[in-house]
Amino acid sequence: MLVLGIETSCDETAVGIVEDQLHLRANVIASQVDLHARYGGVVPEVAARAHLEQLLPTIDTALVQAGVHLSDIDAIAVTAGPGLVGALLVGVSAAKGLALAHDRPLIGVNHLRAHVEVAQLEHGMLEPPLVALVVSGGHTSIVAMGEDGTFRQLGATIDDAAGEAFDKIARFMGLGYPGGPEIDRLARDGDPHAFAFPRAMRDSGNYDLSLSGLKTAVIRELRRMDAAGEEPVLADVAASFQEAIVDVQVEKVLRAASDEGYEQVLLAGGVAANSRLRERFAVACGSNGQRLIVPSVGLCTDNGAMVAASGANLLVAGRHADLDLAVDPNLPLAG
Ligand code: KG4
Ligand code: ZN
């Protein structure tokens, strides 16, 4: 059973092909990073136009990579939300066309669920219950995945998403876009304890997070050093900022897992590519006796394989979409 997955929710035109839910046959990404870098962030109109140009060639490349023809594909899966409306529409329109022309089922995929389910390609089918941290450019939440596969939100950021905080700080420091990987790289040479940046809501008694105060504190410190004529050691700033963001996430996720009595923790989304986050979770879960499930870096950031994997699960469950499948820019993970 071959499922082709199309991802166009943000700034990557991506296509993946998965066989029998578990086996990755192709994963091709046509990145738009260079197009958006000059603006310091994703420009929705530019993204939609680039998806339009790149999607069909990307599908062709994925078919070649998998060594199959379109007629061998059993279902077409596509991200229906959340994401940028114009960008989502390009993928969903193309998927409808392919499904109709080749008489194959169309499957609408939730991008956030796909970030979680991509783990099955490397770790086998998920065996919930587990607690997942879903962290990306537009989303940061801690969710419980129940035995029946449904999600229940335990907590979320009350302001900035983690990826957004990484990107904003990177932009302020004059680093490239996207900022997460730049800060990750720079922080390797820095002292994570050089600055005591705030860890907001640490003792809030719930699993919510707040990251905008941290962002403001970092910017204020950079401005203070600038005004005082001090040359900031950017690696130290990056490492200290990253440590603060990682600290609160490790603490809240592990507390959620132990409160729920769950023995598995899963990291998902672009920010789960962060090397310090992965390292700290590995240590913390190790000492708690919890199993940590984390996809390889290339499967954490947006990709087509995750859409194909999640689509394959829906196909098996008989959950096809109709040709009137609508995009939903605000599609929630839970509920
Ligand atoms: O999941 P994703 O690829 O796209 C969305 O669905 O938003 O996540 C993108 C976010 C960006 O904010 C990017 O800066 C961040 O993930 N990111 C990272 C790293 N790699 C990507 N953040 C921290 N460290 C990284 N290594
Ligand atoms: Zn994503």
Side-chain angles (χ1 to χ4, degrees), residues 149-216:
T150 56
F151 289 110
R152 179 166 46 92
Q153 181 159 307
L154 301 175
T157 178
I158 60 164
D159 39 53
D160 291 353
E164 192 183 346
F166 269 102
D167 294 339
K168 283 182 180 165
I169 291 299
R171 193 180 325 162
F172 195 82
M173 289 169 72
L175 305 173
Y177 171 84
E182 298 284 333
I183 291 197
D184 193 345
R185 211 170 301 128
L186 186 61
R188 284 182 199 149
D189 301 320
D191 173 5
H193 306 294
F195 299 91
F197 291 132
R199 274 82 168 147
M201 297 185 69
R202 206 173 193 165
D203 304 311
S204 60
N206 60 21
Y207 309 115
D208 288 338
L209 312 157
S210 166
L211 299 174
S212 80
L214 167 61
K215 183 190 66 192
T216 310

Side-chain angles (χ1 to χ4, degrees), residues 111 115 136-138 163-164 166-167 178-181 184 269-271 273-274 300-302:
H111 180 87
H115 268 307
S136 67
E164 192 183 346
F166 269 102
D167 294 339
D184 193 345
V271 181
N274 184 266
C300 285
T301 46
D302 287 352

Side-chain angles (χ1 to χ4, degrees), residues 275-324:
S275 61
R276 187 67 180 153
L277 187 83
R278 301 165 78 91
E279 199 176 283
R280 289 280 310 280
F281 266 102
V283 171
C285 290
S287 61
N288 274 12
Q290 282 155 330
R291 177 184 181 217
L292 178 66
I293 306 165
V294 47
S296 57
V297 167
L299 292 183
C300 285
T301 46
D302 287 352
N303 62 82
M306 67 191 223
V307 181
S310 190
N313 296 347
L314 290 166
L315 180 67
V316 167
R319 292 173 55 193
H320 307 175
D322 297 325
L323 281 174
D324 62 0

